[in-house]
């Protein structure tokens, strides 16, 4: 089911820049981590090279928490 856009809220948000602080935060994250694709997955600031590779994700999480890595 498609999501409907509340046009009045969108116009209000753009006009009043009510989301600009969040956009600024996101823009900073994109620049800091050189994000150029979606989805992008970061674990403790480390970019996962393939966000669809569950083994890579698990291994990185294990490494970051000091657990045993599964190859």
């Amino acid at each position: 089911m498609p999501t409907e856009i509340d046009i009045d809220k969108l116009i209000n948000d753009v006009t009043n820049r009510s989301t600009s602080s969040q956009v600024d935060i996101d823009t900073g994250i994109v620049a800091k981590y050189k994000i150029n694709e979606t989805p992008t997955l970061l674990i403790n600031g480390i970019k996962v090279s393939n966000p669809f590779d569950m083994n890579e994700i698990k291994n990185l999480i294990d490494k970051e928490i000091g657990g045993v890595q599964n190859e």
Side-chain angles (χ1 to χ4, degrees):
M1 174 189 229
T3 302
E4 292 188 30
I5 296 173
D6 182 337
I7 298 297
D8 292 331
K9 182 172 181 350
L10 175 61
I11 291 170
N12 184 57
D13 288 347
V14 170
T15 302
N16 296 318
R17 298 182 48 87
S18 58
T19 59
S20 65
S21 63
Q22 184 59 51
V23 170
D24 291 343
I25 291 168
D26 291 347
T27 301
I29 292 169
V30 166
K32 179 178 181 178
Y33 294 103
K34 298 177 175 73
I35 295 172
N36 57 7
E37 62 192 8
T38 57
T40 297
L41 179 60
L42 299 170
I43 299 173
N44 284 350
I46 301 169
K47 185 176 174 184
V48 176
S49 62
N50 180 355
F52 301 103
D53 183 341
M54 298 312 287
N55 286 326
E56 179 184 358
I57 295 167
K58 182 185 181 314
N59 287 340
L60 182 54
I61 291 170
D62 287 345
K63 177 181 174 190
E64 290 300 301
I65 62 173
V68 176
Q69 289 190 26
N70 295 324
E71 298 297 321

